[in-house]
mmCIF file with all atom_site columns, all heavy atoms in Angstrom:
data_model
loop_
_atom_site.group_PDB
_atom_site.id
_atom_site.type_symbol
_atom_site.label_atom_id
_atom_site.label_alt_id
_atom_site.label_comp_id
_atom_site.label_asym_id
_atom_site.label_entity_id
_atom_site.label_seq_id
_atom_site.pdbx_PDB_ins_code
_atom_site.Cartn_x
_atom_site.Cartn_y
_atom_site.Cartn_z
_atom_site.occupancy
_atom_site.B_iso_or_equiv
_atom_site.pdbx_formal_charge
_atom_site.auth_seq_id
_atom_site.auth_comp_id
_atom_site.auth_asym_id
_atom_site.auth_atom_id
_atom_site.pdbx_PDB_model_num
ATOM 1  N N   . ALA A 1 106 ? -67.947 73.769 65.576 1.00 0.00 ? 106 ALA A N   1
ATOM 2  C CA  . ALA A 1 106 ? -69.207 73.219 66.089 1.00 0.00 ? 106 ALA A CA  1
ATOM 3  C C   . ALA A 1 106 ? -68.889 72.050 67.021 1.00 0.00 ? 106 ALA A C   1
ATOM 4  O O   . ALA A 1 106 ? -68.010 71.250 66.748 1.00 0.00 ? 106 ALA A O   1
ATOM 5  C CB  . ALA A 1 106 ? -70.073 72.751 64.931 1.00 0.00 ? 106 ALA A CB  1
ATOM 6  N N   . ARG A 1 107 ? -69.579 71.987 68.133 1.00 0.00 ? 107 ARG A N   1
ATOM 7  C CA  . ARG A 1 107 ? -69.375 70.895 69.076 1.00 0.00 ? 107 ARG A CA  1
ATOM 8  C C   . ARG A 1 107 ? -70.669 70.615 69.799 1.00 0.00 ? 107 ARG A C   1
ATOM 9  O O   . ARG A 1 107 ? -71.569 71.429 69.838 1.00 0.00 ? 107 ARG A O   1
ATOM 10 C CB  . ARG A 1 107 ? -68.242 71.211 70.063 1.00 0.00 ? 107 ARG A CB  1
ATOM 11 C CG  . ARG A 1 107 ? -68.515 72.323 71.050 1.00 0.00 ? 107 ARG A CG  1
ATOM 12 C CD  . ARG A 1 107 ? -67.390 72.532 72.046 1.00 0.00 ? 107 ARG A CD  1
ATOM 13 N NE  . ARG A 1 107 ? -67.173 71.475 72.991 1.00 0.00 ? 107 ARG A NE  1
ATOM 14 C CZ  . ARG A 1 107 ? -67.898 71.276 74.104 1.00 0.00 ? 107 ARG A CZ  1
ATOM 15 N NH1 . ARG A 1 107 ? -68.913 72.046 74.375 1.00 0.00 ? 107 ARG A NH1 1
ATOM 16 N NH2 . ARG A 1 107 ? -67.585 70.314 74.929 1.00 0.00 ? 107 ARG A NH2 1
ATOM 17 N N   . LEU A 1 108 ? -70.716 69.452 70.386 1.00 0.00 ? 108 LEU A N   1
ATOM 18 C CA  . LEU A 1 108 ? -71.881 69.066 71.162 1.00 0.00 ? 108 LEU A CA  1
ATOM 19 C C   . LEU A 1 108 ? -71.858 69.766 72.513 1.00 0.00 ? 108 LEU A C   1
ATOM 20 O O   . LEU A 1 108 ? -70.790 70.052 73.055 1.00 0.00 ? 108 LEU A O   1
ATOM 21 C CB  . LEU A 1 108 ? -71.882 67.551 71.405 1.00 0.00 ? 108 LEU A CB  1
ATOM 22 C CG  . LEU A 1 108 ? -72.049 66.651 70.192 1.00 0.00 ? 108 LEU A CG  1
ATOM 23 C CD1 . LEU A 1 108 ? -71.849 65.197 70.603 1.00 0.00 ? 108 LEU A CD1 1
ATOM 24 C CD2 . LEU A 1 108 ? -73.413 66.826 69.562 1.00 0.00 ? 108 LEU A CD2 1
ATOM 25 N N   . THR A 1 109 ? -73.048 69.985 73.048 1.00 0.00 ? 109 THR A N   1
ATOM 26 C CA  . THR A 1 109 ? -73.096 70.505 74.414 1.00 0.00 ? 109 THR A CA  1
ATOM 27 C C   . THR A 1 109 ? -72.656 69.382 75.348 1.00 0.00 ? 109 THR A C   1
ATOM 28 O O   . THR A 1 109 ? -72.627 68.212 74.970 1.00 0.00 ? 109 THR A O   1
ATOM 29 C CB  . THR A 1 109 ? -74.519 70.948 74.791 1.00 0.00 ? 109 THR A CB  1
ATOM 30 O OG1 . THR A 1 109 ? -75.371 69.807 74.768 1.00 0.00 ? 109 THR A OG1 1
ATOM 31 C CG2 . THR A 1 109 ? -75.031 72.030 73.840 1.00 0.00 ? 109 THR A CG2 1
ATOM 32 N N   . ASP A 1 110 ? -72.324 69.727 76.575 1.00 0.00 ? 110 ASP A N   1
ATOM 33 C CA  . ASP A 1 110 ? -71.886 68.715 77.532 1.00 0.00 ? 110 ASP A CA  1
ATOM 34 C C   . ASP A 1 110 ? -72.975 67.671 77.769 1.00 0.00 ? 110 ASP A C   1
ATOM 35 O O   . ASP A 1 110 ? -72.690 66.471 77.854 1.00 0.00 ? 110 ASP A O   1
ATOM 36 C CB  . ASP A 1 110 ? -71.484 69.363 78.861 1.00 0.00 ? 110 ASP A CB  1
ATOM 37 C CG  . ASP A 1 110 ? -70.205 70.188 78.727 1.00 0.00 ? 110 ASP A CG  1
ATOM 38 O OD1 . ASP A 1 110 ? -69.444 69.929 77.769 1.00 0.00 ? 110 ASP A OD1 1
ATOM 39 O OD2 . ASP A 1 110 ? -69.979 71.060 79.573 1.00 0.00 ? 110 ASP A OD2 1
ATOM 40 N N   . ALA A 1 111 ? -74.226 68.118 77.863 1.00 0.00 ? 111 ALA A N   1
ATOM 41 C CA  . ALA A 1 111 ? -75.338 67.181 78.080 1.00 0.00 ? 111 ALA A CA  1
ATOM 42 C C   . ALA A 1 111 ? -75.498 66.250 76.879 1.00 0.00 ? 111 ALA A C   1
ATOM 43 O O   . ALA A 1 111 ? -75.705 65.038 77.029 1.00 0.00 ? 111 ALA A O   1
ATOM 44 C CB  . ALA A 1 111 ? -76.635 67.938 78.342 1.00 0.00 ? 111 ALA A CB  1
ATOM 45 N N   . ALA A 1 112 ? -75.389 66.801 75.676 1.00 0.00 ? 112 ALA A N   1
ATOM 46 C CA  . ALA A 1 112 ? -75.517 65.973 74.476 1.00 0.00 ? 112 ALA A CA  1
ATOM 47 C C   . ALA A 1 112 ? -74.371 64.977 74.382 1.00 0.00 ? 112 ALA A C   1
ATOM 48 O O   . ALA A 1 112 ? -74.559 63.835 73.949 1.00 0.00 ? 112 ALA A O   1
ATOM 49 C CB  . ALA A 1 112 ? -75.553 66.861 73.233 1.00 0.00 ? 112 ALA A CB  1
ATOM 50 N N   . GLN A 1 113 ? -73.189 65.400 74.787 1.00 0.00 ? 113 GLN A N   1
ATOM 51 C CA  . GLN A 1 113 ? -72.038 64.500 74.772 1.00 0.00 ? 113 GLN A CA  1
ATOM 52 C C   . GLN A 1 113 ? -72.237 63.352 75.751 1.00 0.00 ? 113 GLN A C   1
ATOM 53 O O   . GLN A 1 113 ? -71.976 62.195 75.428 1.00 0.00 ? 113 GLN A O   1
ATOM 54 C CB  . GLN A 1 113 ? -70.777 65.282 75.120 1.00 0.00 ? 113 GLN A CB  1
ATOM 55 C CG  . GLN A 1 113 ? -69.503 64.511 74.915 1.00 0.00 ? 113 GLN A CG  1
ATOM 56 C CD  . GLN A 1 113 ? -68.299 65.418 74.990 1.00 0.00 ? 113 GLN A CD  1
ATOM 57 O OE1 . GLN A 1 113 ? -68.249 66.425 74.303 1.00 0.00 ? 113 GLN A OE1 1
ATOM 58 N NE2 . GLN A 1 113 ? -67.351 65.061 75.829 1.00 0.00 ? 113 GLN A NE2 1
ATOM 59 N N   . ARG A 1 114 ? -72.736 63.641 76.965 1.00 0.00 ? 114 ARG A N   1
ATOM 60 C CA  . ARG A 1 114 ? -73.028 62.581 77.936 1.00 0.00 ? 114 ARG A CA  1
ATOM 61 C C   . ARG A 1 114 ? -74.102 61.639 77.384 1.00 0.00 ? 114 ARG A C   1
ATOM 62 O O   . ARG A 1 114 ? -74.005 60.419 77.502 1.00 0.00 ? 114 ARG A O   1
ATOM 63 C CB  . ARG A 1 114 ? -73.487 63.171 79.266 1.00 0.00 ? 114 ARG A CB  1
ATOM 64 C CG  . ARG A 1 114 ? -72.367 63.698 80.124 1.00 0.00 ? 114 ARG A CG  1
ATOM 65 C CD  . ARG A 1 114 ? -72.871 64.048 81.521 1.00 0.00 ? 114 ARG A CD  1
ATOM 66 N NE  . ARG A 1 114 ? -74.027 64.935 81.539 1.00 0.00 ? 114 ARG A NE  1
ATOM 67 C CZ  . ARG A 1 114 ? -73.972 66.273 81.509 1.00 0.00 ? 114 ARG A CZ  1
ATOM 68 N NH1 . ARG A 1 114 ? -72.802 66.873 81.468 1.00 0.00 ? 114 ARG A NH1 1
ATOM 69 N NH2 . ARG A 1 114 ? -75.068 66.994 81.534 1.00 0.00 ? 114 ARG A NH2 1
ATOM 70 N N   . ASP A 1 115 ? -75.128 62.230 76.775 1.00 0.00 ? 115 ASP A N   1
ATOM 71 C CA  . ASP A 1 115 ? -76.201 61.409 76.200 1.00 0.00 ? 115 ASP A CA  1
ATOM 72 C C   . ASP A 1 115 ? -75.674 60.506 75.090 1.00 0.00 ? 115 ASP A C   1
ATOM 73 O O   . ASP A 1 115 ? -76.119 59.370 74.929 1.00 0.00 ? 115 ASP A O   1
ATOM 74 C CB  . ASP A 1 115 ? -77.331 62.290 75.664 1.00 0.00 ? 115 ASP A CB  1
ATOM 75 C CG  . ASP A 1 115 ? -78.116 62.969 76.778 1.00 0.00 ? 115 ASP A CG  1
ATOM 76 O OD1 . ASP A 1 115 ? -77.984 62.531 77.944 1.00 0.00 ? 115 ASP A OD1 1
ATOM 77 O OD2 . ASP A 1 115 ? -78.852 63.926 76.481 1.00 0.00 ? 115 ASP A OD2 1
ATOM 78 N N   . TYR A 1 116 ? -74.705 61.016 74.316 1.00 0.00 ? 116 TYR A N   1
ATOM 79 C CA  . TYR A 1 116 ? -74.110 60.215 73.253 1.00 0.00 ? 116 TYR A CA  1
ATOM 80 C C   . TYR A 1 116 ? -73.496 58.939 73.823 1.00 0.00 ? 116 TYR A C   1
ATOM 81 O O   . TYR A 1 116 ? -73.727 57.837 73.326 1.00 0.00 ? 116 TYR A O   1
ATOM 82 C CB  . TYR A 1 116 ? -73.046 61.031 72.506 1.00 0.00 ? 116 TYR A CB  1
ATOM 83 C CG  . TYR A 1 116 ? -72.208 60.198 71.583 1.00 0.00 ? 116 TYR A CG  1
ATOM 84 C CD1 . TYR A 1 116 ? -72.676 59.844 70.322 1.00 0.00 ? 116 TYR A CD1 1
ATOM 85 C CD2 . TYR A 1 116 ? -70.956 59.719 71.983 1.00 0.00 ? 116 TYR A CD2 1
ATOM 86 C CE1 . TYR A 1 116 ? -71.906 59.059 69.478 1.00 0.00 ? 116 TYR A CE1 1
ATOM 87 C CE2 . TYR A 1 116 ? -70.185 58.933 71.145 1.00 0.00 ? 116 TYR A CE2 1
ATOM 88 C CZ  . TYR A 1 116 ? -70.667 58.605 69.898 1.00 0.00 ? 116 TYR A CZ  1
ATOM 89 O OH  . TYR A 1 116 ? -69.916 57.816 69.068 1.00 0.00 ? 116 TYR A OH  1
#
Side-chain angles (χ1 to χ4, degrees):
R107 68 177 293 280
L108 294 173
T109 63
D110 291 339
Q113 190 168 308
R114 281 190 307 273
D115 290 344
Y116 169 81

